[in-house]
Amino acid sequence: MTTDDPDPGVESPAVKRLLLGGPLTSAKQEQQLLPKRRALPIFASDALSSVAYAPQELLMILMLGGLSFLAFSPWVALAVVLLLTVVVLSYRQLITAYPSGGGDYEVARTNLGQLPGVVVASALLVDYILTVAVSIAAGVDNIISALPALDPWRVELAVGFVVVLVTVNLRGVREASHAFAVPTYVFIGSVALMIVTGLARWALGDAPVASSAHYAVQAESLTQAAVVLLVLRAFASGCSALTGVEAVANGVPAFRPPKERNARATLAIMGTIAIVLFAGLTTLALVAGVHYAENPCHLVGFDCTQPQPSLMAQVAAATFGLGSVPFYVIQAATACVLLLAANTAFNGFPLLGSVLARDGYAPKSLDTRGDRLVYSNGMIILGIAAIAVLVVFQATLTTLIQLYIIGVFVSFSIGQIGMVRHWQRELRLLPKTAAAERRAATTGLIINGVGAMSTALVLAIVTVTKFTHGAWLVFLAIPVLTALMIGVHHYYRNVQIETAMDDTVHFGAHGDVALVLVGNLHKPAAKAIDYALAAEHDTTLAVHIAIARRETAQLEADWEEHAVPVPLVILESPYRHYAAPLAGFIRDYREKHGSSVVTIYLPQYIVGHWWEVFLHNGRAKRLAQHLMLVHGVAITLVPWLLDSSKLIDRRRARPLPGDDRAGNHQASYGLVAHIDPQPPAATRRSLEG
């Protein structure tokens, strides 16, 4: 059997194969790595899609003070662009220094210690969950802008899109990149075309006019301090355009070699596109006179019983005309890329989870690859968490956006401080003669120093302006998650200490006794007895727990009739317990015969139909769980395959569509291990007398 063949001992259910595809061998992992053109839609969809709602949130907050406050918007947008440039340059330095995929978590843990590293990891995990929730909510918002009749189904649509994204990502990174590439590039091209067209019309004296341009706004009366806070809050909301920048640094292992260079190039391309689209869309929205209010009823003359069109929808309608083909193309592309922006989290969350699991801060199951060579457990956990957030907040974008960027700026700030510490250490260690290396380290120190100060300042602004609007929930979630991860780490450390080899460990236990648990004499029990005899233990005993006198008497009569070549021991159980009498017997046996290794054989039915499980008492598994707590006891489950169990070993009737073209031929299944449901020959002879 070649390494490209599917494992003949494992058969995936037909529904699973249809939805996710057949399992991939570990040898195909290299084929799942991404070139830059496919990595861009996978890792940059979050950052690129932010331009669809970041300008909207920026203008919406400013309009709380009235239309005159829109004069601040160019300067606020410029500040966001400058910050985005600094962060992109900073993460290019991070990729160079730490290309293993740990991102800010690895930087903080290496340079600042355990607690800052775990805080960063907690913030990133929370941010990934909110990335899915916000992106899906924004995508649904744009769909409803084009099709208002779908508004009552907002939550259901959001949950359905999460399920679709989980399913697509479970098929593997390479297939996900195929599925997401076209919508991402269509979005980039269509929005760029809209910006160029709109600005060209403005330059020629035919500026686009938004449908909301003639609406006045009910402004709130503000003090001088409130004006400053409002501008800062608008800046904080506009900084949502920075979300997703860290995903490339966390996903370096998914790139094709040379990984570091490809990741840095992808990050530069992503940053350039995001800056151009954000600046262009903000400018065009101001030119077209888009008025978007936090409360639609504050727009004088607007029917606030109807959904408020998104900024993107208003700009597209003003530029190309409402109901035109380009309008629907932009709306469809925007909705798709907003929905697919969640895909960035479906790559970052599982990768970070696997790193945390390897370091002992998360369950080991997060470091296990599924059939399609992705960390499927992390994807499923992310999907469930995002659905919970969407349901709780009713997929309302304005509410979710208040929670969003706290986590990402916590990780930005601590990560950049860690990079400053890294470059300081490098400069101390580099010899004076290494001029080129010292220049590179000095450049990195300057870039990350500016990044640390900028992101820390934004974190303070975001905290002050968003805390009472719901961000306190994030500040509650991060410490709770941090405490949980530190607790998991302590648990794994204690287990490692407890199970480590030392000089007290010795081999060569004395005494060997087998106990075969028998309820009544039938073929499964006879098979267990024969297996125990074949193992040639020093002593083999059959043990019956006496619950009902009639069953015990019948067993003794059958035992004598069939001349079973093993002594039968009857243990009374007046309280109808099974494990306690057997544990007491083992204790008494050891007191009498010395410390012995005890092997307990338990017959167990193997069934093929799900409903058959409820028709058998499952006593063997329950007994095994209890007896595993008894020191010096090994449990052996002896399977008896009922006729229905053949369904478990059903072979594939035919390949899936496309398997032959893809070269995924079915392997021979002649090597499937099959336990003969009939008892061994020696047992048959004993049963026949």
Side-chain angles (χ1 to χ4, degrees):
M1 183 177 65
T2 67
T3 56
D4 290 335
D5 291 332
D7 183 357
V10 178
E11 179 67 22
S12 300
V15 175
K16 181 179 178 182
R17 286 188 286 115
L18 183 63
L19 291 176
L20 307 183
L24 299 173
T25 66
S26 298
K28 292 185 177 180
Q29 186 169 342
E30 289 293 323
Q31 300 177 18
Q32 298 296 303
L33 298 179
L34 300 172
K36 293 190 292 293
R37 68 180 184 279
R38 291 181 183 164
L40 184 65
I42 286 287
F43 291 107
S45 55
D46 181 18
L48 295 179
S49 68
S50 299
V51 302
Y53 56 80
Q56 173 177 297
E57 296 300 314
L58 187 156
L59 297 180
M60 180 187 73
I61 299 301
L62 286 176
M63 285 188 64
L64 292 174
L67 294 178
S68 61
F69 275 66
L70 292 180
F72 292 110
S73 54
W75 304 105
V76 175
L78 178 61
V80 172
V81 168
L82 291 175
L83 181 61
L84 179 55
T85 303
V86 170
V87 170
V88 169
L89 292 174
S90 299
Y91 272 94
R92 280 171 59 84
Q93 298 297 319
L94 190 150
I95 291 171
T96 300
Y98 296 92
S100 62
D104 287 319
Y105 159 72
E106 184 180 0
V107 172
R109 185 166 178 264
T110 302
N111 298 287
L112 303 177
Q114 179 195 48
L115 184 59
V118 178
V119 169
V120 167
S122 302
L124 283 171
L125 293 177
V126 170
D127 177 66
Y128 283 135
I129 294 170
L130 291 174
T131 293
V132 177
V134 170
S135 300
I136 295 293
V140 170
D141 204 44
N142 271 268
I143 291 174
I144 292 172
S145 294
L147 302 170
L150 295 177
D151 189 45
W153 303 95
R154 181 183 296 268
V155 176
E156 290 81 358
L157 284 171
V159 172
F161 283 127
V162 173
V163 173
V164 170
L165 278 176
V166 172
T167 303
V168 173
N169 277 280
L170 287 175
R171 293 186 64 90
V173 175
R174 188 178 181 184
E175 291 206 24
S177 69
H178 285 295
F180 300 153
V182 173
T184 302
Y185 287 121
V186 169
F187 170 78
I188 294 171
S190 60
V191 174
L193 177 63
M194 179 180 70
I195 292 171
V196 171
T197 303
L199 294 180
R201 286 181 55 186
W202 175 48
L204 295 174
D206 181 27
V209 179
S211 59
S212 61
H214 63 282
Y215 295 139
V217 177
Q218 296 178 8
E220 300 178 8
S221 58
L222 300 173
T223 63
Q224 188 173 358
V227 170
V228 175
L229 286 176
L230 187 65
V231 173
L232 290 177
R233 186 182 167 196
F235 172 67
S237 294
C239 285
S240 58
L242 277 71
T243 57
V245 173
E246 79 288 347
V248 177
N250 293 336
V252 176
F255 283 84
R256 282 185 182 173
K259 296 176 180 290
E260 178 185 332
R261 189 176 71 187
N262 286 337
R264 283 168 56 89
T266 301
L267 181 58
I269 295 169
M270 178 200 73
T272 302
I273 295 174
I275 288 171
V276 171
L277 295 186
F278 173 81
L281 188 58
T282 303
T283 303
L284 190 55
L286 292 173
V287 168
V290 173
H291 296 164
Y292 190 91
E294 187 174 33
N295 183 350
C297 294
H298 288 173
L299 290 175
V300 180
F302 178 73
D303 181 7
C304 57
T305 61
Q306 299 296 320
Q308 186 177 194
S310 65
L311 180 145
M312 184 71 78
Q314 293 190 48
V315 171
T319 303
F320 296 115
L322 181 65
S324 64
V325 172
F327 168 80
Y328 283 112
V329 169
I330 289 176
Q331 286 303 100
T334 302
C336 284
V337 83
L338 284 168
L339 296 171
L340 298 182
N343 190 66
T344 299
F346 278 103
N347 284 273
F349 187 101
L351 286 171
L352 179 59
S354 70
V355 173
L356 290 169
R358 286 196 293 274
D359 289 344
Y361 291 101
K364 299 297 183 185
S365 59
L366 293 181
D367 193 31
T368 303
R369 293 185 184 269
D371 287 349
R372 301 291 295 180
L373 297 176
V374 294
Y375 296 110
S376 50
N377 292 328
M379 291 181 178
I380 293 170
I381 291 172
L382 174 59
I384 293 172
I387 287 174
V389 171
L390 285 166
V391 171
V392 168
F393 291 95
Q394 292 295 290
T396 304
L397 178 62
T398 304
T399 304
L400 289 169
I401 203 74
Q402 305 301 325
L403 314 178
Y404 188 21
I405 61 174
I406 299 294
V408 73
F409 273 98
V410 168
S411 63
F412 280 173
S413 303
I414 299 178
Q416 294 304 305
I417 293 171
M419 285 299 297
V420 170
R421 182 74 62 85
H422 165 80
W423 294 123
Q424 289 174 338
R425 186 177 63 252
E426 289 293 308
L427 285 172
R428 285 196 305 270
L429 297 176
L430 286 170
K432 299 291 186 181
T433 55
E437 290 82 356
R438 291 185 66 86
R439 279 197 303 271
T442 302
T443 302
L445 178 61
I446 294 172
I447 292 174
N448 290 122
V450 174
M453 290 187 292
S454 303
T455 53
L457 177 62
V458 174
L459 177 60
I461 294 172
V462 168
T463 302
V464 171
T465 58
K466 289 180 176 283
F467 190 86
T468 58
H469 295 272
W472 63 270
L473 288 170
V474 178
F475 283 104
L476 177 64
I478 290 175
V480 169
L481 194 54
T482 299
L484 287 174
M485 288 198 288
I486 291 177
V488 169
H489 186 68
H490 288 166
Y491 170 79
Y492 280 131
R493 185 186 61 188
N494 292 338
V495 170
Q496 184 178 11
I497 293 172
E498 184 179 343
T499 58
M501 289 290 289
D502 54 35
D503 295 336
T504 63
V505 177
H506 63 276
F507 299 92
H510 299 288
D512 176 24
V513 60
L515 305 179
V516 184
L517 206 61
V518 178
N520 50 64
L521 190 58
H522 47 27
K523 290 180 179 180
K527 178 182 179 182
I529 292 170
D530 199 51
Y531 276 35
L533 291 172
E536 297 182 350
H537 298 276
D538 294 343
T539 304
T540 301
L541 302 173
V543 178
H544 173 73
I545 310 299
I547 302 295
R549 292 183 178 275
R550 181 179 300 176
E551 290 182 2
T552 302
Q554 182 63 50
L555 175 63
E556 289 178 315
D558 292 342
W559 208 264
E560 183 176 353
E561 177 185 350
H562 292 286
V564 181
V566 172
L568 177 64
V569 178
I570 306 295
L571 301 180
E572 296 293 334
S573 181
Y575 292 100
R576 299 163 302 284
H577 295 162
Y578 287 86
L582 190 56
F585 174 77
I586 293 171
R587 183 178 60 252
D588 295 341
Y589 185 91
R590 285 172 170 166
E591 290 177 357
K592 183 177 180 180
H593 299 282
S595 180
S596 302
V597 175
V598 178
T599 304
I600 298 177
Y601 291 83
L602 298 171
Q604 179 179 350
Y605 289 133
I606 305 299
V607 299
H609 297 106
W610 64 268
W611 49 265
E612 290 181 272
V613 174
F614 301 101
L615 302 182
H616 299 283
N617 55 37
R619 188 176 297 139
K621 289 184 178 179
R622 295 198 301 273
L623 269 173
Q625 291 175 346
H626 286 290
L627 295 173
M628 280 190 283
L629 299 175
V630 181
H631 289 289
V633 170
I635 310 296
T636 300
L637 295 176
V638 182
W640 182 270
L641 278 65
L642 296 176
D643 286 344
S644 63
S645 66
K646 296 176 182 178
L647 296 172
I648 301 174
D649 194 31
R650 178 180 293 167
R651 294 165 174 78
R652 294 185 185 181
R654 59 184 180 274
L656 290 174
D659 276 352
D660 288 336
R661 293 192 302 274
N664 298 328
H665 302 293
Q666 303 299 319
S668 171
Y669 282 78
L671 298 178
V672 173
H674 183 72
I675 300 175
D676 188 352
Q678 299 304 318
T683 303
R684 289 200 298 272
R685 288 195 297 273
S686 65
L687 288 172
E688 293 166 358

